[in-house]
Amino acid sequence: MAVASISTPGQIERAIYIDFEGRGRSQKTHTAPDPRFVGVLVDGIFTFTALGDCPVAEALRHAPRCAGAATLPHFLEAITRRAHRESRKIVYWSIREPTVFSDFGFPLGELGFDVKPSAQKEWKTVHAMFQEKRKSLKDPSISKTRKNEARRIVDLGLLYHIASETGFHFPPAYPGGKVGKWSGAIEKMLVTRDYYCALTATVKSHYTRLLHHNQNDVLAMQHVLHVLSTRGQILSGK
């Protein structure tokens, strides 16, 4: 599959950065449900949208800082058309994003750019440390204390560690490994409560943290790309 390349600060600045959020992959079925939220960063403006054609998405339409609700196919079509029309690249950090686009009939091809491969090559030491911690979680000889330490590192995600290495400052409260839990709690409560204002204070805080988490991730993606470009790289999403 053809992928985009990004080589200039202008292309990086004009790109559309996206990050889906949802409940994550099921341990039983090994499948991930459709994302329930998407954060988009373009021209320095961040928007957060609830996804789906169900009451949950509609109930979040008027949540704080929510840009509204959209069905997933409508969002994918709209963002793809914009990227084509305005000659922008769509940038992401994981295989999930292009997979969702393809599954709904909007393959990105050269329009899409995955930051992770270039970042992994440039910061090999960070990537190796992260992979080692992931492997240790399955090692029966590792103590519980060391596994808990490794879990904290892994839960923060590779983007967090590489972006931090390059000088991006995440807020102290940036959480790891809780996005799926937050999304699930919001969705579960909105099944019985028809609007955002009816959520408990705890679940409202889940929504706020999810939004801030997403915003930091798309900003971190852009930061990492800028750092890579200053090192004279012609970036490839392969």
Side-chain angles (χ1 to χ4, degrees):
M1 180 180 68
V3 293
S5 62
I6 294 182
S7 58
T8 69
Q11 287 179 316
I12 294 170
E13 200 64 35
R14 296 191 69 255
I16 299 171
Y17 297 82
I18 68 167
D19 185 30
F20 290 127
E21 306 288 9
R23 284 179 290 156
R25 188 177 299 276
S26 167
Q27 293 184 351
K28 293 183 179 180
T29 65
H30 301 291
T31 59
D34 293 342
R36 286 301 188 191
F37 303 92
V38 62
V40 176
L41 178 70
V42 58
D43 292 337
I45 299 172
F46 172 76
T47 56
F48 194 64
T49 302
L51 299 172
D53 55 0
C54 60
V56 172
E58 286 300 315
L60 290 169
R61 179 182 291 276
H62 301 296
R65 295 189 62 194
C66 185
T71 65
L72 184 53
H74 177 79
F75 167 80
L76 298 173
E77 181 179 15
I79 205 74
T80 303
R81 284 186 175 182
R82 180 178 183 183
H84 278 296
R85 184 176 65 250
E86 300 177 4
S87 298
R88 300 177 188 263
K89 303 299 183 184
I90 296 177
V91 177
Y92 43 86
W93 181 263
S94 75
I95 193 64
R96 186 185 188 192
E97 278 73 20
T99 299
V100 170
F101 276 87
S102 295
D103 287 349
F104 282 83
F106 301 97
L108 291 175
E110 294 183 355
L111 201 63
F113 182 84
D114 187 350
V115 187
K116 187 187 289 186
S118 294
Q120 288 177 162
K121 291 175 184 177
E122 185 66 19
W123 289 281
K124 293 178 181 178
T125 302
V126 178
H127 182 223
M129 176 278 297
F130 187 79
Q131 291 296 89
E132 181 183 352
K133 296 300 182 183
R134 289 185 65 181
K135 290 179 181 178
S136 71
L137 294 175
K138 298 180 180 180
D139 187 343
S141 68
I142 300 295
S143 68
K144 183 177 180 180
T145 299
R146 289 179 61 191
K147 281 192 176 183
N148 288 339
E149 177 189 354
R151 171 59 63 191
R152 285 192 293 271
I153 291 172
V154 171
D155 282 351
L156 285 168
L158 182 59
L159 174 59
Y160 174 91
H161 295 292
I162 288 180
S164 297
E165 181 75 12
T166 66
F168 184 83
H169 297 291
F170 288 89
Y174 182 89
K178 296 183 179 179
V179 168
K181 175 184 175 182
W182 293 338
S183 181
I186 295 166
E187 187 174 349
K188 182 178 179 180
M189 186 164 284
L190 283 174
V191 170
T192 56
R193 305 190 184 196
D194 296 335
Y195 49 97
Y196 174 83
C197 291
L199 296 177
T200 64
T202 297
V203 175
K204 284 180 180 177
S205 72
H206 290 343
Y207 168 83
T208 300
R209 291 176 181 178
L210 181 65
L211 185 150
H212 289 161
H213 178 99
N214 185 277
Q215 183 174 17
N216 276 284
D217 279 356
V218 291
L219 287 168
M221 280 184 236
Q222 186 181 56
H223 172 84
V224 169
L225 269 184
H226 273 301
V227 174
L228 284 166
S229 72
T230 64
R231 299 187 176 203
Q233 292 201 23
I234 298 177
L235 305 174
S236 171
K238 295 181 181 179

